[in-house]
Amino acid sequence: MYVLHNPTRFSRSYPGSNSCGGTACIERLAGASTLLYPSTSLARAPPSVKSGNMAFVAAAAPASSVLSVDATLNPLVASVKPSKTMALTDLATSMKEAGIDVIGLAAGEPDFDTPTPIVEAGVAALRSGYTRYTPNTGTTALRKAICKKLQEDNGLSYSPDEIVVSNGAKQSIWQAVLATVSPGDEVIIPAPYWVSYTEMVRLAGATPVVVPTTPEEGFLMSPEKLAASLTPHSRLLILCTPSNPTGAVYPKEHLEALASVVGAHPRLLVLSDEIYEYITYAPARHVSFGALPGMWDRTLTVNGFSKAYAMTGWRLGYLAAPRHYAKAAAIIQSQSTSGASSISQQAALAALALGPGGGEPVQEMVRAFQERREYVCARLRSIPGVNLAEPSGAFYVLPEMSAFFGPGAEAEGFGPVPDSDTFCRYLIEKANVAVVPGDAFGADSCIRISYAASLETLGKALDRIASSLDPKIFKRRTGST
């Protein structure tokens, strides 16, 4: 038997759980007893079972066995970091299964049900036998509907053969990266960033070039910072607006300034991640980068149904790009997953039929998110030492919390708190609240809190966080104000 344990700092077991609590605990049973080396014991494991970020541990082999199994992995695996959002979400789930009253604010997932017309369309597809393979890039009906949506909502003109429907926007992003970058290329990524951007770039053999932004800048990358990051090797700029994890929304004038920099570099493409486009709060307004003058030819736009329509489990996203790039992404998809779920595609047609901005069902969710945003921001600002740039979209806040970790920071009954990773471990162990450390997003001074939860749940979580940071039990970083 071989056991893969993900040695993140959050990997631990709880009674009643069959998971290690990390991003993965994959077991292949071979009928033999198992000797496990968790992450904390990896240093004592035999050298032959150590491999980068993962520890493989061989169980006792049957006495009759004469051959050992080569457990070598592709070296690319060692270059990829596990997703901490998944690790913390899995850990919170394991704790709940073990009867622990933990509040999970780590997942990027709406807490609403999928709107009824969408569900009914999915059920109708099942009952009518619409359960077979679809064309690789999606049904013609759905691709035409996406083209109509992009034209009417975003001012983007595409034909159906420039649309690739995939199993979620994550797959769309990965295929866009793989289709456009090569070993030796550089990909510009403003930080804070979604956790998977940098790892996808590494898997493609390219180099992520991270451009930091600050709360004082509204977490918006300036044209000057973009220009300073470019080299002859620059191939792709990844923009996410509205942003996960910051909630920042790039204004049109700011995007136009970035576009003027992009336009001076013929080799530079832009991947515009617009999955949160409908979740914005006035006066912020979403603008598609590809709709800016001169940017259509070099922009690959990614969107989907998970966030706005609360369809995370339906797994459906899409890429809209000039035919040359869309065809390349389609080839990759044809040799990996092939087409997306036929049932989900029928449901997506019903989602698009709800109207601009997702219609009233989506706007009702957006109003609830806005109320939660205002509540969470007010509560966080009431805690001395928290620095917060108010989000204009999505359903996350990314407070700057460096006053609570670093030299001198220490919690009673827990010990030193040197970084955001340890700070989040403190919150989940002592406050039973799961949030994500900022270092997962390239911003170690921050933490990410998802407010995709009821006001009652958010109030309970913030009460716990505030209590756990009481100066009577928590000593802040030396020199913090």
Side-chain angles (χ1 to χ4, degrees), residues 375-419:
Y375 174 76
V376 169
C377 288
R379 288 292 307 271
L380 288 171
R381 288 195 177 105
S382 71
I383 302 174
V386 175
N387 179 20
L388 181 65
E390 185 166 296
S392 299
F395 39 73
Y396 311 102
V397 289
L398 195 79
E400 202 274 335
M401 305 284 288
S402 61
F404 300 95
F405 39 85
E410 187 172 352
E412 183 180 292
F414 181 84
V417 184
D419 50 32

Short mmCIF file of all heavy atoms in Angstrom, two decimals, residues 375-419:
data_model
loop_
_atom_site.label_atom_id
_atom_site.label_comp_id
_atom_site.label_asym_id
_atom_site.label_seq_id
_atom_site.Cartn_x
_atom_site.Cartn_y
_atom_site.Cartn_z
N TYR A 375 -21.42 44.51 6.60
CA TYR A 375 -21.35 44.04 7.99
C TYR A 375 -19.95 43.57 8.35
O TYR A 375 -19.40 43.96 9.39
CB TYR A 375 -22.36 42.91 8.20
CG TYR A 375 -22.27 42.26 9.56
CD1 TYR A 375 -22.78 42.89 10.68
CD2 TYR A 375 -21.66 41.02 9.71
CE1 TYR A 375 -22.68 42.31 11.93
CE2 TYR A 375 -21.57 40.42 10.96
CZ TYR A 375 -22.08 41.07 12.07
OH TYR A 375 -21.97 40.48 13.30
N VAL A 376 -19.37 42.73 7.49
CA VAL A 376 -18.04 42.18 7.78
C VAL A 376 -16.99 43.28 7.83
O VAL A 376 -16.13 43.31 8.73
CB VAL A 376 -17.67 41.11 6.73
CG1 VAL A 376 -16.20 40.72 6.85
CG2 VAL A 376 -18.56 39.89 6.88
N CYS A 377 -17.05 44.23 6.89
CA CYS A 377 -16.06 45.32 6.89
C CYS A 377 -16.18 46.15 8.15
O CYS A 377 -15.16 46.54 8.75
CB CYS A 377 -16.25 46.19 5.65
SG CYS A 377 -15.71 45.41 4.12
N ALA A 378 -17.40 46.44 8.59
CA ALA A 378 -17.59 47.23 9.81
C ALA A 378 -17.04 46.50 11.03
O ALA A 378 -16.37 47.10 11.88
CB ALA A 378 -19.07 47.55 10.00
N ARG A 379 -17.29 45.21 11.11
CA ARG A 379 -16.80 44.43 12.25
C ARG A 379 -15.27 44.36 12.26
O ARG A 379 -14.62 44.48 13.30
CB ARG A 379 -17.39 43.01 12.22
CG ARG A 379 -18.86 42.92 12.56
CD ARG A 379 -19.13 43.26 14.04
NE ARG A 379 -18.32 42.47 14.94
CZ ARG A 379 -18.67 41.28 15.44
NH1 ARG A 379 -19.84 40.74 15.09
NH2 ARG A 379 -17.90 40.65 16.29
N LEU A 380 -14.67 44.14 11.08
CA LEU A 380 -13.21 44.05 11.02
C LEU A 380 -12.56 45.39 11.37
O LEU A 380 -11.54 45.44 12.06
CB LEU A 380 -12.77 43.60 9.64
CG LEU A 380 -13.04 42.13 9.30
CD1 LEU A 380 -12.76 41.86 7.83
CD2 LEU A 380 -12.20 41.21 10.17
N ARG A 381 -13.15 46.49 10.90
CA ARG A 381 -12.58 47.80 11.20
C ARG A 381 -12.66 48.15 12.68
O ARG A 381 -11.93 49.01 13.16
CB ARG A 381 -13.29 48.87 10.37
CG ARG A 381 -12.93 48.84 8.89
CD ARG A 381 -13.36 50.12 8.20
NE ARG A 381 -12.95 50.12 6.80
CZ ARG A 381 -13.78 49.92 5.78
NH1 ARG A 381 -15.07 49.71 6.02
NH2 ARG A 381 -13.34 49.94 4.53
N SER A 382 -13.55 47.48 13.39
CA SER A 382 -13.68 47.74 14.84
C SER A 382 -12.57 47.07 15.64
O SER A 382 -12.45 47.32 16.84
CB SER A 382 -15.04 47.27 15.34
OG SER A 382 -15.12 45.84 15.36
N ILE A 383 -11.77 46.23 14.99
CA ILE A 383 -10.67 45.54 15.67
C ILE A 383 -9.40 46.35 15.47
O ILE A 383 -8.94 46.50 14.33
CB ILE A 383 -10.47 44.11 15.12
CG1 ILE A 383 -11.76 43.29 15.27
CG2 ILE A 383 -9.30 43.43 15.81
CD1 ILE A 383 -11.70 41.91 14.62
N PRO A 384 -8.82 46.92 16.51
CA PRO A 384 -7.59 47.71 16.36
C PRO A 384 -6.48 46.88 15.72
O PRO A 384 -6.27 45.72 16.07
CB PRO A 384 -7.23 48.09 17.81
CG PRO A 384 -8.52 48.00 18.56
CD PRO A 384 -9.28 46.88 17.92
N GLY A 385 -5.80 47.48 14.74
CA GLY A 385 -4.69 46.79 14.07
C GLY A 385 -5.04 46.22 12.71
O GLY A 385 -4.16 45.79 11.97
N VAL A 386 -6.34 46.23 12.36
CA VAL A 386 -6.77 45.69 11.06
C VAL A 386 -6.78 46.82 10.03
O VAL A 386 -7.35 47.88 10.26
CB VAL A 386 -8.17 45.06 11.16
CG1 VAL A 386 -8.66 44.63 9.77
CG2 VAL A 386 -8.16 43.87 12.11
N ASN A 387 -6.15 46.59 8.89
CA ASN A 387 -6.13 47.54 7.79
C ASN A 387 -6.90 46.92 6.64
O ASN A 387 -6.56 45.84 6.16
CB ASN A 387 -4.69 47.85 7.37
CG ASN A 387 -4.61 48.83 6.21
OD1 ASN A 387 -5.55 49.56 5.95
ND2 ASN A 387 -3.48 48.85 5.53
N LEU A 388 -7.96 47.60 6.18
CA LEU A 388 -8.87 46.97 5.24
C LEU A 388 -9.16 47.87 4.04
O LEU A 388 -9.55 49.03 4.21
CB LEU A 388 -10.20 46.63 5.93
CG LEU A 388 -11.27 45.93 5.09
CD1 LEU A 388 -10.81 44.56 4.65
CD2 LEU A 388 -12.57 45.84 5.87
N ALA A 389 -8.94 47.34 2.84
CA ALA A 389 -9.40 47.99 1.61
C ALA A 389 -10.76 47.39 1.28
O ALA A 389 -10.87 46.20 1.01
CB ALA A 389 -8.41 47.75 0.47
N GLU A 390 -11.80 48.21 1.30
CA GLU A 390 -13.15 47.68 1.11
C GLU A 390 -13.31 47.11 -0.29
O GLU A 390 -13.01 47.78 -1.29
CB GLU A 390 -14.18 48.78 1.34
CG GLU A 390 -15.61 48.26 1.28
CD GLU A 390 -16.60 49.25 1.85
OE1 GLU A 390 -16.52 49.53 3.06
OE2 GLU A 390 -17.43 49.74 1.07
N PRO A 391 -13.78 45.87 -0.40
CA PRO A 391 -13.94 45.26 -1.72
C PRO A 391 -15.10 45.87 -2.49
O PRO A 391 -16.11 46.30 -1.90
CB PRO A 391 -14.22 43.79 -1.39
CG PRO A 391 -14.79 43.80 -0.01
CD PRO A 391 -14.14 44.96 0.69
N SER A 392 -14.98 45.91 -3.81
CA SER A 392 -16.03 46.43 -4.68
C SER A 392 -16.75 45.34 -5.43
O SER A 392 -17.69 45.61 -6.19
CB SER A 392 -15.42 47.42 -5.69
OG SER A 392 -14.83 48.52 -5.04
N GLY A 393 -16.32 44.09 -5.26
CA GLY A 393 -16.95 42.97 -5.95
C GLY A 393 -16.57 41.65 -5.32
O GLY A 393 -15.85 41.60 -4.32
N ALA A 394 -17.06 40.56 -5.91
CA ALA A 394 -16.86 39.20 -5.42
C ALA A 394 -17.43 39.06 -4.01
O ALA A 394 -18.27 39.86 -3.59
CB ALA A 394 -15.39 38.79 -5.49
N PHE A 395 -17.00 38.04 -3.25
CA PHE A 395 -17.53 37.88 -1.88
C PHE A 395 -16.41 37.53 -0.90
O PHE A 395 -16.53 36.62 -0.08
CB PHE A 395 -18.66 36.83 -1.83
CG PHE A 395 -18.47 35.62 -2.70
CD1 PHE A 395 -17.55 34.64 -2.36
CD2 PHE A 395 -19.22 35.44 -3.84
CE1 PHE A 395 -17.39 33.51 -3.15
CE2 PHE A 395 -19.08 34.32 -4.64
CZ PHE A 395 -18.15 33.35 -4.29
N TYR A 396 -15.32 38.30 -1.01
CA TYR A 396 -14.18 38.12 -0.12
C TYR A 396 -13.73 39.48 0.44
O TYR A 396 -13.89 40.51 -0.20
CB TYR A 396 -12.98 37.52 -0.86
CG TYR A 396 -13.28 36.31 -1.69
CD1 TYR A 396 -13.40 36.42 -3.08
CD2 TYR A 396 -13.43 35.06 -1.11
CE1 TYR A 396 -13.67 35.31 -3.86
CE2 TYR A 396 -13.71 33.95 -1.89
CZ TYR A 396 -13.83 34.07 -3.26
OH TYR A 396 -14.11 32.98 -4.02
N VAL A 397 -13.14 39.42 1.63
CA VAL A 397 -12.35 40.54 2.14
C VAL A 397 -10.95 40.03 2.40
O VAL A 397 -10.76 38.86 2.75
CB VAL A 397 -12.95 41.16 3.42
CG1 VAL A 397 -14.22 41.90 3.13
CG2 VAL A 397 -13.19 40.09 4.48
N LEU A 398 -9.97 40.90 2.22
CA LEU A 398 -8.58 40.53 2.43
C LEU A 398 -7.96 41.55 3.39
O LEU A 398 -7.17 42.41 2.98
CB LEU A 398 -7.82 40.49 1.10
CG LEU A 398 -6.47 39.78 1.15
CD1 LEU A 398 -6.67 38.26 1.09
CD2 LEU A 398 -5.57 40.21 -0.02
N PRO A 399 -8.29 41.47 4.67
CA PRO A 399 -7.74 42.43 5.62
C PRO A 399 -6.24 42.23 5.82
O PRO A 399 -5.75 41.11 5.86
CB PRO A 399 -8.51 42.14 6.91
CG PRO A 399 -8.95 40.72 6.78
CD PRO A 399 -9.20 40.50 5.31
N GLU A 400 -5.54 43.35 5.95
CA GLU A 400 -4.11 43.33 6.28
C GLU A 400 -4.02 43.19 7.79
O GLU A 400 -4.51 44.03 8.55
CB GLU A 400 -3.46 44.63 5.79
CG GLU A 400 -1.96 44.54 5.58
CD GLU A 400 -1.19 44.80 6.87
OE1 GLU A 400 -1.74 45.48 7.76
OE2 GLU A 400 -0.07 44.31 7.00
N MET A 401 -3.40 42.09 8.24
CA MET A 401 -3.43 41.70 9.66
C MET A 401 -2.03 41.57 10.25
O MET A 401 -1.83 40.88 11.24
CB MET A 401 -4.16 40.36 9.81
CG MET A 401 -5.55 40.30 9.23
SD MET A 401 -6.78 41.14 10.24
CE MET A 401 -6.93 40.02 11.64
N SER A 402 -1.03 42.22 9.67
CA SER A 402 0.35 41.99 10.09
C SER A 402 0.62 42.42 11.53
O SER A 402 1.64 42.03 12.11
CB SER A 402 1.32 42.69 9.15
OG SER A 402 1.11 44.09 9.15
N ALA A 403 -0.27 43.21 12.11
CA ALA A 403 -0.09 43.57 13.53
C ALA A 403 -0.20 42.35 14.44
O ALA A 403 0.25 42.39 15.59
CB ALA A 403 -1.13 44.61 13.93
N PHE A 404 -0.77 41.26 13.92
CA PHE A 404 -1.03 40.09 14.75
C PHE A 404 -0.07 38.93 14.51
O PHE A 404 -0.26 37.86 15.09
CB PHE A 404 -2.48 39.63 14.54
CG PHE A 404 -3.49 40.68 14.89
CD1 PHE A 404 -4.01 41.52 13.91
CD2 PHE A 404 -3.88 40.85 16.20
CE1 PHE A 404 -4.91 42.50 14.24
CE2 PHE A 404 -4.79 41.84 16.54
CZ PHE A 404 -5.31 42.67 15.56
N PHE A 405 0.93 39.12 13.66
CA PHE A 405 1.94 38.08 13.51
C PHE A 405 3.26 38.71 13.14
O PHE A 405 3.33 39.83 12.63
CB PHE A 405 1.53 37.00 12.51
CG PHE A 405 0.82 37.48 11.28
CD1 PHE A 405 1.53 37.94 10.18
CD2 PHE A 405 -0.56 37.45 11.20
CE1 PHE A 405 0.89 38.37 9.03
CE2 PHE A 405 -1.22 37.88 10.05
CZ PHE A 405 -0.49 38.34 8.96
N GLY A 406 4.33 37.98 13.45
CA GLY A 406 5.67 38.51 13.26
C GLY A 406 6.43 38.51 14.57
O GLY A 406 5.99 37.91 15.57
N PRO A 407 7.56 39.18 14.63
CA PRO A 407 8.38 39.19 15.85
C PRO A 407 7.59 39.69 17.06
O PRO A 407 6.97 40.76 17.03
CB PRO A 407 9.52 40.17 15.50
CG PRO A 407 9.59 40.14 14.01
CD PRO A 407 8.18 39.95 13.54
N GLY A 408 7.58 38.90 18.10
CA GLY A 408 6.91 39.29 19.34
C GLY A 408 5.47 38.87 19.44
O GLY A 408 4.89 38.86 20.53
N ALA A 409 4.83 38.52 18.33
CA ALA A 409 3.42 38.12 18.37
C ALA A 409 3.30 36.75 19.04
O ALA A 409 4.03 35.81 18.68
CB ALA A 409 2.83 38.08 16.97
N GLU A 410 2.37 36.64 19.97
CA GLU A 410 2.26 35.39 20.73
C GLU A 410 0.86 35.28 21.32
O GLU A 410 0.26 36.27 21.75
CB GLU A 410 3.29 35.37 21.85
CG GLU A 410 3.39 34.05 22.59
CD GLU A 410 4.57 34.01 23.55
OE1 GLU A 410 5.39 34.94 23.52
OE2 GLU A 410 4.67 33.04 24.32
N ALA A 411 0.31 34.07 21.32
CA ALA A 411 -1.03 33.82 21.86
C ALA A 411 -0.94 32.90 23.07
O ALA A 411 -0.20 31.91 23.06
CB ALA A 411 -1.92 33.20 20.79
N GLU A 412 -1.69 33.25 24.06
CA GLU A 412 -1.72 32.45 25.29
C GLU A 412 -2.22 31.04 25.00
O GLU A 412 -3.24 30.84 24.34
CB GLU A 412 -2.62 33.13 26.31
CG GLU A 412 -2.68 32.45 27.66
CD GLU A 412 -3.60 33.20 28.61
OE1 GLU A 412 -3.24 34.34 29.00
OE2 GLU A 412 -4.68 32.68 28.94
N GLY A 413 -1.48 30.05 25.47
CA GLY A 413 -1.88 28.67 25.27
C GLY A 413 -1.62 28.15 23.87
O GLY A 413 -2.01 27.03 23.53
N PHE A 414 -0.96 28.96 23.04
CA PHE A 414 -0.66 28.56 21.66
C PHE A 414 0.81 28.73 21.33
O PHE A 414 1.43 27.84 20.78
CB PHE A 414 -1.52 29.39 20.70
CG PHE A 414 -1.31 29.04 19.25
CD1 PHE A 414 -1.99 27.98 18.67
CD2 PHE A 414 -0.45 29.79 18.45
CE1 PHE A 414 -1.80 27.66 17.33
CE2 PHE A 414 -0.26 29.49 17.11
CZ PHE A 414 -0.94 28.42 16.55
N GLY A 415 1.36 29.90 21.65
CA GLY A 415 2.76 30.14 21.38
C GLY A 415 2.98 31.25 20.37
O GLY A 415 2.06 32.01 20.05
N PRO A 416 4.21 31.36 19.82
CA PRO A 416 4.52 32.42 18.86
C PRO A 416 3.69 32.33 17.59
O PRO A 416 3.30 31.24 17.16
CB PRO A 416 6.02 32.17 18.56
CG PRO A 416 6.52 31.39 19.72
CD PRO A 416 5.38 30.54 20.17
N VAL A 417 3.42 33.49 17.01
CA VAL A 417 2.65 33.57 15.76
C VAL A 417 3.50 34.34 14.75
O VAL A 417 3.35 35.55 14.59
CB VAL A 417 1.29 34.26 15.98
CG1 VAL A 417 0.46 34.23 14.71
CG2 VAL A 417 0.53 33.61 17.12
N PRO A 418 4.39 33.65 14.03
CA PRO A 418 5.36 34.34 13.17
C PRO A 418 4.82 34.80 11.82
O PRO A 418 5.39 35.69 11.20
CB PRO A 418 6.46 33.29 12.97
CG PRO A 418 5.74 31.98 13.09
CD PRO A 418 4.67 32.19 14.12
N ASP A 419 3.72 34.20 11.33
CA ASP A 419 3.29 34.51 9.96
C ASP A 419 1.80 34.24 9.81
O ASP A 419 1.13 33.77 10.75
CB ASP A 419 4.09 33.68 8.95
CG ASP A 419 4.11 32.19 9.30
OD1 ASP A 419 3.11 31.70 9.87
OD2 ASP A 419 5.12 31.52 8.99
#
